[in-house]
Amino acid sequence: MGISRDSRHKRSATGAKRSHYRKKRAFELGRQPANTRIGAKRVHIVRTRGGNRKFRALRIDSGNFSWGSEAIAKKTRVIGVVFHPSNNELIRTNTLTKSAIVQIDAAPFRQWYEAHYGLPLGKKRGAAKKEAEEKKDEEEVKKSKKVLRKIAARAPKAKVEGALETQFAAGRLYAAVSSRPGQSGRVDGYILEGEELAFYQKALRK
């Protein structure tokens, strides 16, 4: 019979059955869900109404994720689905949909931070201090005075919240998927921070 998105088969608000006066229409059709999984990129093109196209991601393993407080975005690897607001089955099967909470590789963001602020991120204090001193000696040789002045000016803004720093130390960050992989063929999103991060960490502990 096919998947239909019409509402003619539903009862009215008062409970009355609606009369059938026509067959199914093409504009009411639905399609099979994409069930996008993590894996080597595989995207199918679907022709839609009006000759438009949808990009159905069947497998995808990386996407652009933004770090809101630092106003940057980096392409990074998706490691796995850790929480889903609609269905626990989607966690077990590692299915990517919009609003899924995933773990992503922290390396691209850490490398950017260290280059931008000239400070180590996500390392133990003793080791970090030692590394910072070693880097400082190298920088004196490599970096110009202008660059060093820039880094010094950025230092007051270099603070990262504790919960995020712990994740950087582990090499994995929690992020939310904001794109629709089954429609756009991309898995893009943003890193969780502040109250939103606290909310999902609490949900994960349950």
Side-chain angles (χ1 to χ4, degrees), residues 76-95:
T76 186
R77 189 170 55 91
V78 178
I79 296 163
V81 179
V82 292
F83 181 80
H84 203 287
S86 70
N87 190 353
N88 285 341
E89 190 69 8
L90 300 177
I91 304 167
R92 190 183 66 80
T93 55
N94 265 343
T95 303

Side-chain angles (χ1 to χ4, degrees), residues 25-29 31 46-54:
R25 296 289 187 261
F27 58 77
E28 294 169 342
L29 70 79
R31 295 186 183 88
V46 179
R47 186 199 179 274
T48 61
R49 188 171 163 86
N52 295 304
R53 299 189 303 170
K54 284 184 178 180

Side-chain angles (χ1 to χ4, degrees), residues 4-124:
S4 182
R5 295 171 62 248
D6 73 311
S7 58
R8 292 299 313 170
H9 67 283
K10 292 201 166 188
R11 288 172 177 253
S12 71
T14 57
K17 278 192 174 180
R18 290 200 178 97
S19 58
H20 294 277
Y21 60 85
R22 71 177 188 202
K23 293 186 177 180
K24 291 182 179 181
R25 296 289 187 261
F27 58 77
E28 294 169 342
L29 70 79
R31 295 186 183 88
Q32 295 291 340
N35 292 331
T36 309
R37 305 288 164 84
I38 297 168
K41 190 175 180 180
R42 193 194 308 167
V43 178
H44 285 187
I45 294 171
V46 179
R47 186 199 179 274
T48 61
R49 188 171 163 86
N52 295 304
R53 299 189 303 170
K54 284 184 178 180
F55 300 93
R56 185 85 76 233
L58 304 177
R59 298 275 185 283
I60 199 160
D61 58 359
S62 62
N64 290 325
F65 286 84
S66 70
W67 187 358
S69 61
E70 295 293 342
I72 59 138
K74 294 284 173 189
K75 186 177 181 181
T76 186
R77 189 170 55 91
V78 178
I79 296 163
V81 179
V82 292
F83 181 80
H84 203 287
S86 70
N87 190 353
N88 285 341
E89 190 69 8
L90 300 177
I91 304 167
R92 190 183 66 80
T93 55
N94 265 343
T95 303
L96 296 167
T97 68
K98 186 176 178 176
S99 300
I101 304 303
V102 296
Q103 274 193 323
I104 58 170
D105 184 18
F109 297 99
R110 196 187 69 246
Q111 286 163 3
W112 173 85
Y113 182 94
E114 289 175 359
H116 188 71
Y117 292 111
L119 297 168
L121 179 63
K123 284 162 186 151
K124 286 178 183 174

Side-chain angles (χ1 to χ4, degrees), residues 65-68 104 109 164 168 173-176 189-193:
F65 286 84
S66 70
W67 187 358
I104 58 170
F109 297 99
L164 209 57
F168 272 110
L173 302 173
Y174 288 130
Y190 59 92
I191 293 169
L192 296 176
E193 298 178 87

